[in-house]
Structure formats: structure tokens, C-alpha cells
Amino acid sequence: QVWQIRLDMHLLNHDGNITDAASIAGIVALCHFRRPDVSVQGEEVTVYTPEERDPVPLSIHHMPICVSFAFYHQGTYLLVDPTEREERVMDGLLVIAMNKHHEICTIQSSGVVMLVQDQILRCSKITAVKVAEITELIQKALENDQKARKEGGKFGFAESIPNQRITAFKMESAAVDTNDVEEQAGEIIAKADPPAEVIANPVLHTPGTAQIGEGIESSWGDLEESEKEEAAEEEGESEAAALECEKVETEDTSTLRKTKNDEPIVLSDSEEEEVVILEPQELPRKTR
């Protein structure tokens, strides 16, 4: 017999980088969880209540922690632990899960940015430092919780509930100083490099597409090589069928007529004076 454990997560307040927060919450919940103690004698299994025996923790061999990196300006700049507003303008996201032994558990990349080897290695080194710090914080929090429980007090989540420190989908308002915004913007523009080329008018690469500013040529509407070959073959077959149909229609040596009682159609040859009876399915069909 085995234990079955299901971990459910409920989002209370999302301010960005929910992947890292969920990984920390999940691993802490598994480390904090205690299952009932059991004993097995032959085929008889006894599950003890918390009053009979103290619950036992799970066997957690390592703690995989996720660290997220947001990339901007086609990977030129990276940011660790992006906020919700920073995620709105990022070009790509890289998530690395690692434990304190520098073992990579998973890597996930999303977005429109293409990363090179040096960027991934740089992120992995930063992840190793962040994972060591987060793992130490988790272990200290678990030790403080265990100490508080032995003394009969509350710690962490249980302590936050009575004080109403946990809010659902609520962000604290922050004051923004806008006195020197124009001066700071002027300094940034003055230090920035001018663009290599400024395109004011739309650039028409192919019919049906337009582009303003920098970018690459759009390939929308272009056919692949195989599709072009298929289209050419279909066009050739259509032309051949049309020519064959026109040939049949312009022949003046034979005429088609139908009897009154819907008998088979008779094709008469005026030159050889022969009469040939054809079945309906043998007649040439107009394909155009």
C-alpha cells in the first residue's frame, strides 16, 4: 500500500513571476506536511492517529527551486524575478529549476527571443546563487515553525490570518515622484545612440503586407516549394482538360442526338455512315 498526496495551489495575489512563487510554496508545503504513522504486521496495516503517535514527515531528498529570467531588447538585458508590469513588456522568459547541489532539474524557455549558449550559462550561474539563498530561507522558516509549534505558538501562514496580512488580488498603492521626469527623460535621450535608419513611410515588401520601422520581410502569403509545384501541376491538368473538351466540341464529323423515349444516345458519323451506340457513362464529359 502507498500514500497518495495531491498538492493544490490557490493564487491569492499575483504581482508577477508566479512560477517561482508556486515552486517555493509547493516544496515548502511538502516539507511541512506530516503524514500519520503506520505499522505493518503481516497483511494487517495499522494507521495511528496524531494522539497515538506523532505524524512523520515525508522523505524529501532535495528541493528543486525555480528561478525566472525576463529578457528585453532581444536578449541584451535580463532581469531576475520580474514583476507583473515587467512581464508585460518582456521579449522572452527563461525558467531554470535547480537544487542546492547545482543539479538542473528542468529548463523552460518561452517568448520570441532566441538565446545563445553564453546567456543560458550566465543564467545558470545566477540560479545556483539564488537557489542556495532561497533554500537557506526555507530551512530557517521550517525550523522557526517547528520551534513555535513546540512552544504552542503560531508561525508563518497561521500567524498571518488573524492579523489580516493576507489579501486576495489587492495591490498596495505606491506614490510616484514625477517632478524630474522630463529632465530624466531628456538625459536618457541625449545619452542614447541615434537609430541607424528612420523609416517614416510604410515599406511594402509583398502584396498584402506592410511594415513600419525596423524588422524583417514578412513571408505571409508566400507558397512553399512543394505547394508551388502542386499548384503548377493542377494548372497544367486544368489546361489539358480544357483543350480536350474544346477539341470534342469543335468536331464537325459527328453529332449527338437523343431519342424521345430516353434511349441511349446515338453518335452518327457522317463520313463513314456508321451508327455507334454508346452507354451514357462512356460519353466525353466536360471538365471545364
Side-chain angles (χ1 to χ4, degrees):
Q1 300 190 18
V2 298
W3 288 103
Q4 180 181 3
I5 300 176
R6 189 181 73 177
L7 179 61
D8 295 328
M9 295 189 183
H10 299 275
L11 186 62
L12 298 179
N13 189 3
H14 176 35
D15 192 23
N17 195 10
I18 193 61
T19 303
D20 295 7
S23 69
I24 296 174
I27 193 65
V28 172
L30 294 175
C31 294
H32 186 268
F33 176 74
R34 298 292 187 272
R35 66 168 178 83
D37 195 6
V38 298
S39 63
V40 181
Q41 296 180 355
E43 296 182 355
E44 183 179 358
V45 179
T46 304
V47 180
Y48 298 97
T49 62
E51 289 76 15
E52 296 174 343
R53 289 188 181 182
D54 292 336
V56 296
L58 301 178
S59 298
I60 306 296
H61 301 288
H62 66 99
M63 298 182 184
I65 304 299
C66 293
V67 179
S68 298
F69 300 88
F71 290 90
Y72 304 89
H73 203 273
Q74 297 300 320
T76 305
Y77 307 102
L78 65 88
L79 180 66
V80 185
D81 190 10
T83 63
E84 190 269 338
R85 294 182 179 179
E86 293 166 345
E87 287 180 348
R88 294 183 183 181
V89 296
M90 66 181 179
D91 295 333
L93 182 68
L94 179 67
V95 181
I96 301 178
M98 183 184 296
N99 57 23
K100 66 178 182 180
H101 306 295
H102 297 183
E103 297 175 346
I104 296 178
C105 303
T106 182
I107 295 180
Q108 181 183 8
S109 178
S110 60
V112 297
V113 63
M114 298 295 294
L115 302 178
V116 297
Q117 180 179 358
D118 296 339
Q119 291 173 318
I120 298 177
L121 292 176
R122 180 186 177 188
C123 293
S124 63
K125 293 179 180 179
I126 298 175
T127 301
V129 177
K130 299 297 294 182
V131 167
E133 297 175 355
I134 295 173
T135 303
E136 184 178 359
L137 291 176
I138 291 175
Q139 292 176 346
K140 288 183 178 180
L142 293 173
E143 293 175 358
N144 293 335
D145 177 80
Q146 186 176 5
K147 181 179 179 181
R149 286 175 177 272
K150 288 182 178 180
E151 297 176 355
K154 295 180 180 181
F155 181 77
F157 186 83
E159 182 186 10
S160 302
I161 294 177
N163 298 331
Q164 296 182 356
R165 290 168 52 188
I166 299 178
T167 57
F169 298 105
K170 180 180 179 181
M171 296 181 61
E172 297 292 339
S173 59
V176 179
D177 186 8
T178 59
N179 295 326
D180 301 333
V181 172
E182 295 182 358
E183 297 179 0
Q184 295 177 2
E187 294 177 358
I188 294 174
I189 295 174
K191 295 179 181 179
D193 296 331
E197 182 181 2
V198 179
I199 302 177
N201 299 325
V203 180
L204 184 63
H205 294 294
T206 56
T209 61
Q211 177 180 327
I212 300 176
E214 298 180 358
I216 60 175
E217 180 178 353
S218 176
S219 61
W220 182 85
D222 296 342
L223 296 177
E224 299 291 341
E225 293 297 332
S226 58
E227 295 178 351
K228 292 180 179 179
E229 294 177 359
E230 293 178 359
E233 293 178 359
E234 293 178 358
E235 185 178 357
E237 294 177 357
S238 300
E239 292 179 356
L243 292 175
E244 184 67 22
C245 184
E246 291 178 358
K247 183 179 179 181
V248 174
E249 291 178 352
T250 56
E251 288 182 353
D252 56 350
T253 59
S254 60
T255 58
L256 297 177
R257 62 185 181 86
K258 190 174 183 181
T259 60
K260 294 181 179 180
N261 53 358
D262 294 335
E263 293 179 356
I265 299 175
V266 178
L267 175 65
S268 62
D269 194 327
S270 59
E271 295 181 357
E272 299 180 357
E273 296 182 354
E274 293 181 357
V275 177
V276 182
I277 298 177
L278 301 179
E279 296 296 331
Q281 62 271 20
E282 295 178 359
L283 293 177
R285 305 168 72 179
K286 188 175 181 181
T287 59
R288 187 175 58 178

